[in-house]
Amino acid sequence: EPEVTQTPSHQVTQMGQEVILRCVPISNHLYFYWYRQILGQKVEFLVSFYNNEISEKSEIFDDQFSVERPDGSNFTLKIRSTKLEDSAMYFCASMSSGHEKLFFGSGTQLSVL
Amino acid sequence: KNQVEQSPQSLIILEGKNCTLQCNYTVSPFSNLRWYKQDTGRGPVSLTIMTFSENTKSNGRYTATLDADTKQSSLHITASQLSDSASYICVVYGGYQKVTFGTGTKLQVIP
């Protein structure tokens, strides 16, 4: 089965630093998502992206967050100035048109010190 | 507000026993409902999909039910195995790629 690939699997950063989390969605998918999961808590929606623009974002996705799809294959999440509370597992997901099934990557564990 | 509530929050069962996980949703419009299994430190993986017209669907030892009138779904696991230990997430798709995640049930199967 095709896979969503995320890199890195683990990222450790200092508070206030910028981080970029990378994702390669499944090639023929058109809808892209970022979710996060704080340890022991439920999966939380961050943002959805379609046709090279954000289609929906949650309250969590504030001005410190941005997404882009720079080259038609990678889908990145940038956190400009990380905070301690940004520590979480970040999941990228993609979905094809007309088939409602999210495919998730294995996640990036972000630790902000 | 679209919500998906799951119960129980956590569950411990003996290997070989059966269990049933519950999902109640208030998502509208409704397109379909999926149960996902999430192993620790991994991304969720879809187990089964239930559409509006389906009442019961089985996938191996997993059987999902859907009552669209009461907006309830259940996931029944038969003859549990240690590898079934995971979080199980009920996810409701509302059309137009709108997705609402449930609160999850953490299942632990012990020998």
Side-chain angles (χ1 to χ4, degrees):
Chain A
E1 190 169 62
E3 287 185 342
V4 174
T5 306
Q6 288 187 244
T7 55
S9 57
H10 293 85
Q11 174 88 51
V12 181
T13 189
Q14 295 289 325
M15 189 170 59
Q17 295 295 306
E18 174 184 286
V19 294
I20 297 177
L21 310 183
R22 302 180 192 281
C23 169
V24 179
I26 295 170
S27 61
N28 62 345
H29 285 187
L30 300 178
Y31 301 89
F32 313 109
Y33 303 79
W34 282 101
Y35 292 86
R36 79 170 187 191
Q37 187 174 33
I38 296 170
L39 185 64
Q41 297 185 23
K42 64 177 280 189
V43 175
E44 299 175 291
F45 168 74
L46 291 177
V47 65
S48 59
F49 191 86
Y50 169 70
N51 200 26
N52 286 318
E53 61 183 23
I54 291 173
S55 45
E56 190 174 357
K57 60 183 180 180
S58 72
E59 292 175 353
I60 303 168
F61 194 88
D62 61 22
D63 292 343
Q64 293 301 311
F65 291 86
S66 63
V67 289
E68 63 176 3
R69 197 155 180 255
D71 56 11
S73 65
N74 292 290
F75 179 50
T76 62
L77 174 69
K78 182 192 290 186
I79 309 175
R80 260 182 276 281
S81 177
T82 50
K83 303 187 285 284
L84 296 176
E85 54 264 39
D86 293 328
S87 296
M89 181 75 97
Y90 287 80
F91 291 107
C92 172
S94 69
M95 185 157 62
S96 65
S97 176
H99 186 222
E100 288 177 312
K101 178 181 178 182
L102 283 169
F103 288 80
F104 286 87
S106 295
T108 293
Q109 179 66 57
L110 176 65
S111 297
V112 182
L113 306 179
Chain B
K1 184 181 176 184
N2 289 337
Q3 284 190 313
V4 180
E5 299 288 337
Q6 291 184 242
S7 62
Q9 193 172 10
S10 61
L11 183 62
I12 300 174
I13 61 172
L14 291 174
E15 186 180 10
K17 296 297 186 183
N18 304 335
C19 67
T20 300
L21 314 180
Q22 301 288 345
C23 172
N24 297 333
Y25 62 93
T26 58
V27 176
S28 182
F30 173 89
S31 178
N32 65 70
L33 181 150
R34 285 184 183 269
W35 283 92
Y36 282 79
K37 179 185 179 187
Q38 185 182 20
D39 293 312
T40 302
R42 308 290 296 177
V45 175
S46 177
L47 290 174
T48 181
I49 177 174
M50 303 296 292
T51 58
F52 189 83
S53 59
E54 294 175 312
N55 297 119
T56 303
K57 184 180 286 185
S58 291
N59 177 11
R61 294 180 298 103
Y62 300 106
T63 299
T65 67
L66 175 67
D67 186 334
D69 292 330
T70 61
K71 297 189 177 181
Q72 295 179 325
S73 177
S74 67
L75 181 70
H76 185 76
I77 304 175
T78 305
S80 60
Q81 301 174 357
L82 297 178
S83 59
D84 292 333
S85 295
S87 289
Y88 291 82
I89 307 172
C90 175
V91 179
V92 180
Y93 290 77
Y96 302 103
Q97 281 67 42
K98 289 194 74 75
V99 184
T100 306
F101 276 72
T103 47
T105 293
K106 187 167 185 177
L107 174 65
Q108 187 177 355
V109 181
I110 59 176

